[in-house]
Amino acid sequence: MTGPHQSQTIPQDPVVRLRIRDAARLYVDREKLVPPQTLRQLRAHAEHCLETANLPDSGFDDFALVMLNNALWEKWFTMIPMDQRLLLLPFCLRNQSTCKAARDDLGLLCEQCNGCNIPHLTEQAEKLGMPVLVAESSGRVVEWVENGDIQAVIGVSCMNSLEKAFPAMLRFAVPGIAVPLTRDGCKETEFDRTLLEEALAIPGSVFSRDIAYARIRERLDELFSPAGVARYLQAATKYLHDFPREVFEALCGNGKHYRPMITFVSFAALTDNNDWPGFLEPIALAVECFHKASLIHDDIEDADATRYGKPALHEAIGIPAALNVGDFLIGEGYRLLNHPSVPLDLRAELMAQAAQAHCELSLGQAQELESLRRNIPWEQCLETHRLKTAPAFRVALAMG
């Protein structure tokens, strides 16, 4: 976002900072923007936002970008419980000449000496039920975000640190409110108290859902293990040797199982219930069967030699055997939607959703194959990728 002299990009006048904040909120409402937005999109919006604030060519593009991202997430923050919002403070807020606090692998172990702002801010956040971390980097926060332990972050930080944390926040669509430091140098820095007070005061909503992401991840890790998959799949006969292992590896060995995660999360969000019925497991497994089959066939059709940084399945075991694994996973997916644990009144709709997505994906692949080595309009390109990508996510949501 910035170079080494970030203070040149942060308005030093607090009135100007609040003026840009207000312009960002108005711009987000007027343009009906929804998060998450990529860094490139935010940069483009920041220019228009500064024009709205009558501050074009002011050099405050980075600050406007941060205010825009904050405005995008503000209303979503109200859906996050206080105990799952993290206040992240930087080491450089402490008084380096007097601070005697030790550090551990997480961050600063504040001794509450009141020699700086950290004790007051910590007390204020903890009264709200919000955990606080005083850390030198955002690495541990990224880990917590990935594990689902933290669902929102209020971060006081320099622009360079915000830039490093942004990709992980974007990847996991984690709501974030950033309070940039107004003076850098990594020593007794300053921040805008008004912006931080506003962020801490964002209320929780009565409609907030406390979804147990970590528990869902644990359950999926157990499901997508050889033992977990073996409970449901019928991948073996007394004459087969390699095939069961190839099937289990295709399902368990690679990927993050995002689509089954979406199935579990959508069920939890719509039912406000973290006690999932047993039949959700074969449904989530079916979702992954369809997805992994499409990848196996896609790699063959596109002549892609690698997948997940390793040889693609057809490169490892040959095209005929890989095609057979993909065909088997499709068949198993449909069989799992008719698993005895799945209620009878759900099966027809589940099958219809899967079949519709299966056909759309094949149509998208057909469009891609026909368009090879030809110039095509961008509308056709978008439609091809929509057909190839969106159905798998729609099925994951619909089945949940």
Side-chain angles (χ1 to χ4, degrees), residues 53 135 154 187 235 273 296 345:
I154 299 172
K187 184 178 181 181
N273 184 358
I296 292 168
D345 60 341

Side-chain angles (χ1 to χ4, degrees), residues 330-398:
I330 292 172
E332 279 291 82
Y334 285 110
R335 188 186 64 79
L336 287 167
L337 296 181
N338 284 282
H339 189 270
S341 66
V342 177
L344 283 171
D345 60 341
L346 294 181
R347 296 182 191 179
E349 180 61 23
L350 293 174
M351 295 282 284
Q353 290 281 349
Q356 178 66 28
H358 191 168
C359 292
E360 287 181 22
L361 188 148
S362 297
L363 290 172
Q365 182 67 11
Q367 283 187 190
E368 183 176 87
L369 292 171
E370 287 188 11
S371 66
L372 295 176
R373 294 176 294 278
R374 289 196 297 117
N375 291 325
I376 60 173
W378 67 270
E379 294 92 340
Q380 181 178 339
C381 181
L382 286 176
E383 175 65 5
T384 296
H385 288 290
R386 184 191 70 78
L387 287 169
K388 287 192 61 175
T389 304
F393 288 101
R394 188 186 71 240
V395 161
L397 283 164

Side-chain angles (χ1 to χ4, degrees), residues 211-213 215-221 223-224 232 257-285 287 396-397 399-400:
I211 297 174
Y213 292 100
R215 280 183 55 207
I216 293 175
R217 174 51 61 195
E218 288 175 5
R219 185 154 179 178
L220 288 177
D221 288 344
L223 175 61
F224 287 100
Y232 293 102
H257 305 113
Y258 282 140
R259 289 155 189 81
M261 182 71 158
I262 290 171
T263 298
F264 267 82
V265 168
S266 62
F267 177 89
L270 292 170
T271 62
D272 201 11
N273 184 358
N274 286 319
D275 294 322
W276 309 284
F279 64 79
L280 206 57
E281 281 197 352
I283 291 174
L285 185 54
V287 168
L397 283 164
M399 296 209 176

Side-chain angles (χ1 to χ4, degrees), residues 117-151:
N117 289 316
I118 291 175
H120 169 70
L121 295 173
T122 300
E123 181 183 8
Q124 187 176 356
E126 290 179 345
K127 280 183 178 178
L128 296 169
M130 192 182 305
V132 181
L133 176 65
V134 184
E136 198 164 19
S137 73
S138 57
R140 182 55 63 94
V141 178
V142 171
E143 179 183 328
W144 288 342
V145 165
E146 290 178 347
N147 291 336
D149 300 323
I150 291 296
Q151 295 187 41

